[in-house]
Amino acid sequence: MIFFLRKTFFLTLTEFKGYIILLYKALSIYEKVLIFSIGSLLILLFAIGLMTPPNTWDSMTYHMARVMHWIQNQSVDHYPSHIIRQHYQPPFAEYIILHLQLLSGTDQWANLVQWSFLIGILISVSLLGKELGTNRTTQIVSMFLAITLPLAILEGNSTQNDLVSSFWVLTCVYFILQLRKLSSFVLAAICTGLALSIAVFTKSTSYLWLFPFCFWMGFYLLFIQKQFRYVISLITILLISILLINTGHFYRNHKIYGHILGGTSQERASYVNASHTLPKLTSNVIRNIDLHLRTPFYYWNRSIRLATLKIHHWLGLTMHDPDITYFSSGNLPFYESWRDFDESASGNFFHFLLLIFTCFAFLKYKNDLFSSNRIAYLYLGSCIITFFLFCIYLRWQEWHVRLHLPLFLLFMPLCAIIISQRKAINTSVIIVLLFFALLCILFNNNKPIIPNNYNQYYTIYRKSYKELYNKQSHQYQKIGNYISSLGVNKVGLILGINDGDYLFWIFLQDASKSQITIKHINIENPSKVLESTAFIPDCIISTKNDTDTIIVRNEVYSKVKDIVPAHIYKLIK
């Protein structure tokens, strides 16, 4: 951020104020409207994020849960867990949340991590537009297009990590473009290495998004500029940066799972395509595109589904080919419904149409645009290659819309170039996107201001902070109160791989009258080697076992209570 703002960073407050006033006066009315819209969306997201707790289910299972384990253990080392995503998923975003939680003693600031990086994304998108030769107005348009992405809005006050990851991907691409200027090559290379390293330290899919850009710049330096030593220097800096920042996490993963990316071999294989034929690639491309074509209109969705079925029939494939489909997506009602305002599954319908329009416009006007802006075509080609690389490597899953976010953000400067030159559609596009962005804020499934089909009576102003964690918060509160009534201070958890670990932490700590220790027990994955035989829980909360007794380290626990979604066992002394 200091690098981006280096020209104004050392200004005095008075000088900075004067700079802002001059900049504001230089803006046109159109630019002021766009900036006002961007600012309004950011303020709304900030207010909602501050008023509501983290409540995305992924956060309940591992994003926030791992933070609680780290705080209790006073270490970020791996610990015994039924949910191995708490181990192998890159931890950068959660490290920031960890520091905020330690400093504040609450999770109230956790949602604002993504919000802060959303602001960074707007700066990065604008700078990418500048590198592609756009003027000030087009850069502001690209910022507007970025912030109105439904996934950006829905995740803008959540504890997912896609916006954090996207910021580092965009920042890395910006510095990759800076590498063309050999006079500042060393600084740009170091910044590229740091951005790349933190990107993969946040989300592993960053490797896929950034590889084509790195390859392109390496090719440019080696064969166009004939700078072999610069290529060697760049590769060295990138490798050193990745190892410097990621070695700790790689080591912890390898120590438990035998692989630097972590997870069991079955878990890793479940994400990667098992077959790479042309028909199966075509299937993945079509299904990934379809995720952004769903609308609230049933007959449209049905038409898309029937068309996709016909294409798959012609390819000789099923819609859920196990070689190219994530295992837990196989039984989903594919294409049947629109995932309305869901931060894990809502597509970017209008932005996708704009993206397709942009690609065709660049092809149609290639004679005019290519001669004046070749870098934009190379950038466009890299974006398209990243998408195909994504489809070649990863099995399709219902939640890929989240993983597509960096790609859409990379496309926004290009989209801004096209719509800024088409005044007839410019205003209409801005109005439609702003309207839908407001709908995303108002009807967000996890933080609704207005009830929707998913939350008919559940809104942020009708519920308390604790109630907003989950629709079953009252049940977890009952569990916490009951455990507190037992007078115990050591609790063992036996959970499924997708259970709400964090919810137990929140409500057990809230109800407990003294310090309480919570640990996973009876582990059945490689992290079982980390279990301490010295830890004998006073009681056990299990979402898996429904037997009358449980034996843990030769100690017998008898079931004393059933409170959905768990069974409670107490040590027989």
Side-chain angles (χ1 to χ4, degrees):
M1 192 66 67
I2 292 173
F3 184 91
F4 291 149
L5 303 176
R6 60 192 183 278
K7 292 182 180 179
T8 59
F9 189 72
F10 296 105
L11 294 178
T12 65
L13 183 61
T14 303
E15 290 173 330
F16 182 73
K17 182 180 178 181
Y19 177 80
I20 294 298
I21 291 173
L22 286 174
L23 183 62
Y24 178 78
K25 289 181 178 179
L27 298 173
S28 66
I29 295 176
Y30 175 66
E31 291 171 332
K32 290 176 182 177
V33 169
L34 288 178
I35 290 175
F36 176 79
S37 300
I38 293 168
S40 299
L41 293 174
L42 286 172
I43 291 171
L44 284 170
L45 290 173
F46 176 86
I48 295 170
L50 203 58
M51 293 166 54
T52 57
N55 59 5
T56 306
W57 191 248
D58 278 354
S59 296
M60 302 299 100
T61 57
Y62 72 98
H63 287 302
M64 294 299 297
R66 72 203 305 197
V67 172
M68 302 305 289
H69 285 282
W70 291 338
I71 292 173
Q72 176 179 267
N73 299 339
Q74 299 183 13
S75 169
V76 294
D77 203 358
H78 289 346
Y79 49 85
S81 177
H82 294 281
I83 305 167
I84 62 175
R85 284 179 295 170
Q86 294 179 3
H87 294 157
Y88 71 78
Q89 292 287 5
F92 177 77
E94 289 83 358
Y95 280 0
I96 300 176
I97 295 173
L98 168 66
H99 284 81
L100 289 173
Q101 201 137 327
L102 285 170
L103 291 169
S104 66
T106 175
D107 62 12
Q108 191 170 8
W109 303 96
N111 287 326
L112 300 184
V113 172
Q114 286 253 101
W115 179 85
S116 301
F117 277 89
L118 177 57
I119 295 175
I121 283 171
L122 301 183
I123 297 171
S124 297
V125 167
S126 173
L127 288 170
L128 281 172
K130 184 178 180 180
E131 285 299 307
L132 297 178
T134 62
N135 57 28
R136 184 184 65 205
T137 301
T138 306
Q139 290 175 51
I140 295 173
V141 171
S142 68
M143 293 168 66
F144 178 85
L145 296 179
I147 198 173
T148 53
L149 273 163
L151 253 297
I153 289 288
L154 294 169
E155 284 201 27
N157 49 25
S158 80
T159 45
Q160 300 269 29
N161 61 7
D162 300 285
L163 287 173
V164 181
S165 167
S166 297
F167 168 77
W168 291 113
V169 168
L170 267 65
T171 302
C172 185
V173 171
Y174 169 75
F175 285 118
I176 287 173
L177 296 180
Q178 290 284 312
L179 291 171
R180 295 173 298 142
K181 305 169 186 177
L182 298 182
S183 59
S184 59
F185 179 85
V186 175
L187 178 60
I190 292 172
C191 291
T192 299
L194 291 174
L196 172 62
S197 303
I198 302 175
V200 300
F201 195 45
T202 307
K203 210 170 189 70
S204 296
T205 47
S206 300
Y207 290 107
L208 297 176
W209 298 129
L210 291 172
F211 176 77
F213 290 95
C214 291
F215 181 83
W216 159 42
M217 186 50 61
F219 183 88
Y220 171 81
L221 291 172
L222 187 60
F223 295 103
I224 306 300
Q225 292 286 348
K226 308 292 185 182
Q227 297 289 343
F228 179 75
R229 63 187 181 91
Y230 279 86
V231 175
I232 297 300
S233 299
L234 179 61
I235 292 173
T236 302
I237 290 172
L238 294 183
L239 289 176
I240 291 175
S241 300
I242 290 174
L243 292 176
L244 185 66
I245 291 176
N246 290 270
T247 294
H249 183 61
F250 288 163
Y251 171 75
R252 289 188 285 272
N253 280 338
H254 191 275
K255 182 180 177 181
I256 303 301
Y257 299 100
H259 195 285
I260 62 172
L261 297 182
T264 62
S265 57
Q266 181 182 5
E267 178 91 359
R268 293 193 300 273
S270 69
Y271 291 110
V272 180
N273 287 324
S275 179
H276 298 89
T277 64
L278 183 59
K280 292 186 178 183
L281 170 61
T282 305
S283 171
N284 262 357
V285 169
I286 291 170
R287 291 186 298 165
N288 275 287
I289 288 174
D290 170 83
L291 293 172
H292 301 283
L293 293 179
R294 304 181 194 183
T295 71
F297 304 108
Y298 170 79
Y299 289 106
W300 166 270
N301 296 339
R302 185 169 178 80
S303 298
I304 295 295
R305 180 175 185 269
L306 291 174
T308 306
L309 280 168
K310 288 181 180 178
I311 293 173
H312 277 76
H313 178 73
W314 178 73
L315 292 172
L317 299 173
T318 65
M319 298 271 272
H320 296 291
D321 188 310
D323 286 344
I324 53 174
T325 304
Y326 185 66
F327 69 92
S328 65
S329 302
N331 297 319
L332 292 172
F334 194 68
Y335 302 107
E336 289 293 338
S337 63
W338 178 57
R339 299 290 294 273
D340 52 341
F341 309 115
D342 186 326
E343 68 181 72
S344 295
S346 287
N348 302 306
F349 179 77
F350 293 110
H351 287 78
F352 178 75
L353 296 182
L354 183 59
L355 187 153
I356 295 300
F357 176 76
T358 298
C359 291
F360 278 109
F362 267 91
L363 288 175
K364 182 177 180 180
Y365 300 104
K366 59 182 182 297
N367 292 333
D368 296 328
L369 288 174
F370 185 74
S371 58
S372 61
N373 199 351
R374 294 188 179 186
I375 189 68
Y377 276 87
L378 294 171
Y379 180 93
L380 173 62
S382 296
C383 289
I384 293 172
I385 290 171
T386 59
F387 174 66
F388 280 98
L389 187 61
F390 182 92
C391 295
I392 289 170
Y393 188 72
L394 294 178
R395 295 175 188 249
W396 178 88
Q397 54 177 284
E398 181 80 2
W399 307 278
H400 266 177
V401 284
R402 290 193 300 107
L403 305 186
H404 294 162
L405 187 56
L407 179 62
F408 273 85
L409 289 166
L410 285 169
F411 260 104
M412 291 306 101
L414 297 173
C415 294
I417 291 173
I418 297 302
I419 69 168
S420 294
Q421 296 176 353
R422 303 290 180 273
K423 294 183 179 180
I425 65 170
N426 197 333
T427 304
S428 300
V429 169
I430 297 299
I431 292 172
V432 169
L433 295 184
L434 180 59
F435 176 73
F436 198 74
L438 289 172
L439 290 182
C440 289
I441 291 177
L442 294 173
F443 294 101
N444 183 336
N445 281 352
N446 289 328
K447 300 174 175 66
I449 297 175
I450 298 175
N452 59 20
N453 292 333
Y454 181 78
N455 289 306
Q456 295 182 0
Y457 306 103
Y458 174 91
T459 59
I460 61 175
Y461 55 84
R462 290 180 179 175
K463 300 288 184 179
S464 67
Y465 189 86
K466 285 287 193 293
E467 290 175 315
L468 288 171
Y469 277 108
N470 188 262
K471 288 184 177 180
Q472 287 190 312
S473 286
H474 61 287
Q475 293 296 111
Y476 288 93
Q477 186 70 66
K478 287 180 182 178
I479 293 172
N481 291 338
Y482 183 77
I483 295 296
S484 179
S485 71
L486 295 177
V488 301
N489 56 19
K490 290 189 290 186
V491 178
L493 295 180
I494 301 176
L495 305 178
I497 62 173
N498 199 40
D499 283 336
D501 189 0
Y502 186 64
L503 292 169
F504 290 111
W505 279 92
I506 287 297
F507 290 101
L508 286 174
Q509 289 187 340
D510 184 58
S512 178
K513 298 179 179 64
S514 59
Q515 185 175 0
I516 189 167
T517 302
I518 303 169
K519 293 188 178 183
H520 288 207
I521 58 172
N522 279 18
I523 309 297
E524 297 176 351
N525 61 58
S527 70
K528 65 184 178 183
V529 299
L530 300 173
E531 281 197 74
S532 171
T533 56
F535 179 73
I536 305 296
D538 300 315
C539 71
I540 295 172
I541 299 174
S542 173
T543 60
K544 294 168 67 176
N545 302 78
D546 190 17
T547 56
D548 292 332
T549 60
I550 293 178
I551 298 176
V552 178
R553 302 183 187 101
N554 298 321
E555 300 288 349
V556 180
Y557 294 78
S558 175
K559 184 161 67 171
V560 292
K561 193 76 171 178
D562 289 324
I563 303 177
V564 177
H567 314 286
I568 301 171
Y569 297 79
K570 194 171 187 300
L571 177 64
I572 300 175
K573 297 183 179 179

